Amino acid sequence: MTRLADLAELVRAPAALSVPGDVLSGAAAAGTLGRRTPALAGASVLLYWAGMAANDWADRRLDAVERPERPIPSGRIRPATALGVAAGLTAAGLALAGAAGGRRATAVAVPLAATIWGYDLLAKNTAAGPAVMAACRGLDVLLGASVGPARDRAGRKARPAGSGLVRALPAALTVAAHTWTVTALSRREVSGADRRLPRATLAGTALVAATALGRPDPVPVALAAGYAGRYGAAQARVLADPSPARVRAAVGAGITGLPALQGALTARAGNRLLGLAVAAAAPLGRRLARLISPT
């Protein structure tokens, strides 16, 4: 019988702490934060977990050689079970997005789900892999901006609902750029990296942190600096020693450090307390990553 702990490892459950901040930062940037936002964040988590399960199903033969301790190659979860979990979570995520946000949310959630499965089944081991995964995260940010009329900071209706996606686009591109760096590093978790890779991802991280600052404001500045400091330090260690263990550590730092970036983007949009709350998921994610690997 499949244990709950094995399922949690299959979907890398703690890594989902990095997911709600996508939706929240997108909604904050668009001015669409509201009662439907938490449900959209929940849909995002379900789709993320679906992608993790589909990833392990797609990689089951490779993992049998490179990561035999993973749930499928170790025999703790059958391949058919993993595929069923992935399909069920996808259906649940799409249903929740539709229930929360109707056609507008579905119009973003369906391409998001398709991109997730496309990455796992087709793009992961190709040169397009990092870009496709970046698109997943960018669409996840836009999911938060997909419903509700855009509002100004005083809470007044400001623009038609569709304009929220445009307003959230800079935040989506920032999160997507961060995701590109993490995904590019993750492709070298087993083999180790050539030093050109951490040089490129470090430059990307510096640019991402700079774009998260916005106008001078101590909250987004502090959160962006914290993001860049921790994730950048992990990449600097890869530059000094590009071994598989250092690369895996940097990937983990990129995943668990994402809430700080999301928090900076949320605070930049004028929601400082919410931004701090989003960023608070980062230390919790690091603690849980000691129990279940996020990579």
Side-chain angles (χ1 to χ4, degrees), residues 25-167:
S25 62
T32 58
L33 280 167
R35 58 184 176 80
R36 292 181 286 186
T37 305
L40 291 176
S44 174
V45 169
L46 292 173
L47 292 174
Y48 181 88
W49 280 341
M52 293 296 100
N55 176 77
D56 269 26
W57 179 82
D59 282 357
R60 62 194 184 281
R61 293 184 179 86
L62 180 63
D63 284 347
V65 176
E66 296 183 346
R67 295 185 175 188
E69 74 283 358
R70 291 293 301 161
I72 296 177
S74 67
R76 289 176 288 136
I77 290 182
R78 294 184 299 116
T81 300
L83 184 59
V85 168
L89 288 170
T90 299
L94 291 174
L96 182 55
R103 293 180 180 177
R104 290 193 184 104
T106 300
V108 178
V110 169
L112 170 58
T115 306
I116 289 170
W117 280 85
Y119 173 81
D120 288 333
L121 300 182
L122 299 172
K124 181 178 180 181
N125 296 315
T126 72
V132 174
M133 180 54 76
C136 290
R137 282 288 190 169
L139 285 167
D140 205 30
V141 174
L142 294 179
L143 182 62
S146 62
V147 298
R151 296 178 181 272
D152 61 22
R153 290 181 183 174
R156 298 182 296 260
K157 289 186 180 180
R159 296 173 177 84
S163 69
L165 294 174
V166 176
R167 297 183 70 195

Side-chain angles (χ1 to χ4, degrees), residues 139-284:
L139 285 167
D140 205 30
V141 174
L142 294 179
L143 182 62
S146 62
V147 298
R151 296 178 181 272
D152 61 22
R153 290 181 183 174
R156 298 182 296 260
K157 289 186 180 180
R159 296 173 177 84
S163 69
L165 294 174
V166 176
R167 297 183 70 195
L169 191 57
L173 291 173
T174 298
V175 172
H178 163 79
T179 304
W180 182 91
T181 69
V182 177
T183 308
L185 286 167
S186 74
R187 290 156 69 91
R188 297 292 179 265
E189 287 182 306
V190 174
S191 63
D194 150 330
R195 284 184 171 84
R196 288 174 296 181
L197 177 59
R199 287 194 191 102
T201 60
L202 262 172
T205 298
L207 180 61
V208 165
T211 59
L213 296 177
R215 69 184 190 284
D217 184 308
V219 175
V221 167
L223 293 177
Y227 153 79
R230 182 173 290 274
Y231 183 35
Q235 292 171 84
R237 288 190 286 271
V238 175
L239 191 56
D241 172 18
S243 64
R246 287 285 177 87
V247 174
R248 284 194 294 273
V251 172
I255 294 171
T256 60
L258 178 54
L261 174 62
Q262 296 161 335
L265 293 169
T266 303
R268 185 184 72 176
N271 296 271
R272 296 179 184 85
L273 290 179
L274 181 59
L276 290 170
V278 169
L284 178 57

